[in-house]
Structures are given as C-alpha cells and as structure tokens.
Amino acid sequence: MPKVQMPQLGESVAEGTIGKWLKKVGDHVDKYEPIVEVITDKVNAEVPSPYEGTLTQILVQEGETVPNNTEIAVIEGASAEVAADAPTAPAPAAPAPAPAPGPYGTGTGPGGSDESPTRSVEQPTAQPAPAPPPAPAPAAPAQTAVAAPVTPSSGNGSASNGNGAAAAIGTYTGPTTPAVRRIAREHGVDLSMVAGSGHGGRVTRDDVMKFVESGGAAAMAAAPAPAAPATPAMSAPSAPAMSAAPAVPAMSAPSEPAMSAAPAVPAMSAAPAVPAMSAPSAPSAPSPVAQGDSLKPANPMRKAIATQMTKALAVPVAYTVVEVDMSGVVALRDANKNAYQSREGIGLTYDAIVAKATVEALKAHADFNAHYTDEGHWRRAAVNLGIAVAVADGLVVPVIKDADRLSVHGLNRQIRDLADKSRAGKLSLDDISGGTFTLDNTGWTGSLITQPIINAPQVGILTMESIVKRPVVVDAGNGKDAIAIKPMMYMCLGFDHRATDGAQAGKFINDVKRWLESVDSTLSIW
C-alpha cells in the first residue's frame, strides 16, 4: 500500500511539523500534486504526492511533529508499478527484535539524537539479577513462605524503575515520537498520566507541555519521591525469588539446602521503607516551578538553532578584527539613495556594498569559500553567500547563489527578496542550501564588535558592525597628522582554525577593508 513519508527538508533538519493538510480523506490526488504543508525550522514547504490515487488515511494530524521518513498518509489506487515499490518502506522494521514499530517507523531522533521508537520499559525484565549467597537462618522454612508473594508483586515495579527514559514514559504503551519522549524525560513526566489529543489518543508535544505548565510534572516530582525506596526494595528480591523457585520441592531435603531461600528474608529488611508510603499524602517536596514562572516551548526553529550551535562548539574558531573607514561608502550611498529608491522601489543598503567587497575577496581567497569536513578542506567553485536574517524569535541564513557574478544592485535586490521571504516564512529548500560563506550584519542592533559563530561546515563568517562617527588620526600631508571625524566600522572575521590560519585570515579581511576604503563616486551600482 503506497504511503507518503515525511521528507527531509534540509541537510540539518531532523523532523517536520504538519502545518495543514491540503487534501482530505477521500480526495483524489495526482502525482506531484501538493497534499500537505510541512513546517520545519527554516522553511514551510508544500509536499507533493509521490503517487496518483485516493487519499484514504491521514496518519499524522495537523500540528503534530514527527521525524523524517515517518509515514504520514496512505494513498490507494496507485499503479501496480508504484504498489510494487511500496513494500520496501517497512523493510527496516524487520531486524527489530522489539515489538513491531508503530506508525512512526524506525527513524532516528530529532537533532541527531540516538533515541529510538522502541520503548525501554520492557528491557529490564531481561536482565537477570545475581543469585544471593547462602546465609544460615533458623527460621528459614517460615520465611520462604513470606518471600514467595514478593515475586509477583514486583513484576511491574522493575519496569518503571531507574532514571532513564523508562522512568519518564512510565506505564504508557501508546505510540510516541522521539521528541515527545525526550521532553517527557527532561521534565520527569509519566506519559500515562497525560491525556492525548493526537490521532487515536496519541500523546503529542503540546499535550506534554500543557501537562507541565499545569503543574502536573511538579506534582509527580513531589509524589514519587518518598515511594522511590519501596520500588527498588521490592524489585531487588524479585529476581532471586524467581530463581529460588526450584528450591521449593527441596523443602523435604536437609534443612541446609532449604536455607538457600533464606536470603529473601534479609532483603525484606528494606521493609522500613513501607511506612514511608504514607508520605505521598503530604506534598512537602518543593516544586521546581515557582509561582509566576512560565515555560516557553522551543519551536522547530529554536531547536534547529540549538542543534546547529551545539554542533558549532566542536569547531575551533579564531577571530580577527579590523577597523574600516567607511567614508567613501557612506558618500556613495548618500549620493545615490534617492535616485535608486525612485528607480528600483527599494532602498540601497550598506549590506549590498559590503557583500560586494566580501565576494570579491572570496574570489581571491579560495580557502575561505569552502567547507571543512572529515575528508579535508573542500574549496568550492561557486561563491554562494549566506546572509543572516533576523526573523520573529529566530534567525535564518538564506543564500545568494553565484554572488560573485552580481553587481551591487543585484546583491541589494537579492538581499531584499530573501529577507522578505524569510520574514514571510516563504523560503524554499533551495533558498537555504549550498552556502559557502556567511555575512552577518549585526550592526543594525547597535553592536560595535560581535564574535560570530561559524555556520558549520563553512570555514568563515564575517560581521559588519555599526557605522559610528569617531575622531581618528589621518595623514595631513607633509609628514603631519590631523584629527578628523570619520564614519568608522569594525568587522570581525571568525574562521575555522583547522582549515586556515591567522595570517591567511588577516590577508582576507584586509582585502575586504581595502576594497571598501577604495570606494568612491566612480563605483557602478548597476
């Protein structure tokens, strides 16, 4: 049966959110016809149907977030050739020794995590406990009878014991995504206590967050604390009791062999934990959430930024800073901005002029128009300049392809168009792919010097800071100096020290500086 899967909308994108279904169950769809809008950290994309047929099932509802390659819909009535290819989808589930995978398949977790859809609550039962050493006790026959009932009562206790993912999921048996399990683990939420609003009662990310915000997680943190000692105390003797079961027929044998069951008695010495069971009625444990606190859940963009920034920590970044006299650039823009606005309908920005200086330098310094990978230093032929764009509560880096072939006007138009698409959420996958170097205008915030974080695997990132009028020493001629007021701007280059060194970085950024300081009225904008 042909099924539609969540596509991977970007090399660093691990999951997607169903924004809106463009077709409903029962609708006929043509091959390549858009059927669903998917939202990721950087792009909103309409996903086309890979088959022609009738949409018979929607497996993931609007608002739900699932990993890449998750089955999201079923289309029936496709051609025999397509149907023949469909059975290849469940193939990865064959080697799974655990229960058959649910509708989420066997994809990896978000952000490169190693979480798996297979739950770990059933794993502890396969771990045999070591047999206890024999210890003589005069009342062994009587105590073995006490130990026997302990065995069945501990069967489920060990499954939810511990501090791992099983403790967070608790006794919940429904399907969940890796993202939901991660959030539950982080907040200590037993998913069996959360009312699911997803398809078929599935617990979604929003369900967990609402549970946390309502104080449910805090109540759970308070209640299980006193009861925790009782669970390990009961589960500890359970495995030995199971192994000691064959010793029951040996009761007719000499008393010493029968004493082998006696270790269950010392294990019961943990019984003082039982009176503590009355403690849950007193919510004396301090809540981790103070009154007035609120949780702002991480949206897909924030999670992707977090993943990329964490990845960037592995890059040994070095920095170099220069100060640029922007007198010529300011004069050029002031002389042309009104005519440019009238002719093009958009403003002439400093970003475009600095971008032009940057791509000219990149053509002369191939080591910076590059990616650094485990294979080595890949110097890219195309100059694809990434432009950092601030959006509501986030940041995206759309890419100007073949930026070195564009004039100042061409760069200005591209920057404006990509910025508008970024803020409208209309970027395509192609718009954010293939960058070889990044330019970041942090000066619009009033910043004087910023240490940028490299957009790995790129080798370099350059900032342009605020243009500020400052008194500087200038050559007045005849060997004399003078103080002049000039528009000055700092630029900071962050570079991957694995790919290049300070001397090369200095040459590159100084070429950018010289180009900008050489600008005059003769520079062609178009």
Side-chain angles (χ1 to χ4, degrees), residues 357-378:
T358 302
V359 297
E360 291 298 321
L362 286 172
K363 290 194 296 184
H365 298 272
D367 280 355
F368 289 89
N369 189 62
H371 290 170
Y372 189 86
T373 68
D374 292 337
E375 297 174 336
H377 191 179
W378 284 92

Side-chain angles (χ1 to χ4, degrees), residues 34 51 55 81 127 155 160 169 176 196 214-215 241 250 301 310 321 325 336 352 372 375 386 389 393 428 439 458 505:
Y51 317 115
L55 179 63
E81 180 180 354
Q127 299 176 357
S160 59
I169 296 175
T176 57
S214 67
M301 179 178 292
T310 302
V321 178
D325 181 354
N336 292 275
Y372 189 86
E375 297 174 336
V389 177
D393 195 31
S428 67
L439 177 65
Q458 294 177 18

Side-chain angles (χ1 to χ4, degrees), residues 311-318 367 371-378 454-460 495-502 504:
K311 177 182 176 182
L313 290 177
V315 178
V317 183
D367 280 355
H371 290 170
Y372 189 86
T373 68
D374 292 337
E375 297 174 336
H377 191 179
W378 284 92
I454 280 183
N455 189 13
Q458 294 177 18
V459 169
F495 60 94
D496 187 339
H497 218 320
R498 297 173 301 178
T500 189
D501 301 305
Q504 289 73 29

Side-chain angles (χ1 to χ4, degrees), residues 145-246:
V146 176
V150 177
T151 302
S153 67
S154 61
N156 294 330
S158 61
S160 59
N161 189 26
N163 297 323
I169 296 175
T171 58
Y172 181 73
T173 58
T176 57
T177 66
V180 170
R181 293 198 303 277
R182 185 182 69 245
I183 294 173
R185 185 175 63 248
E186 291 172 353
H187 294 281
V189 173
D190 183 345
L191 292 180
S192 64
M193 304 296 292
V194 182
S197 63
H199 180 65
R202 182 183 300 119
V203 175
T204 67
R205 184 204 314 263
D206 289 342
D207 295 333
V208 178
M209 298 315 304
K210 288 178 182 177
F211 183 78
V212 172
E213 293 171 1
S214 67
M220 287 181 59
T231 302
M234 296 179 69
S235 61
S238 62
M242 293 293 289
S243 62

Side-chain angles (χ1 to χ4, degrees), residues 397-419:
V397 186
V399 177
I400 302 175
K401 303 296 175 60
D402 296 317
D404 57 318
R405 301 181 183 181
L406 300 177
S407 63
V408 172
H409 162 66
L411 290 167
N412 193 65
R413 171 57 69 182
Q414 285 282 306
I415 292 171
R416 175 61 181 267
D417 290 348
L418 288 173

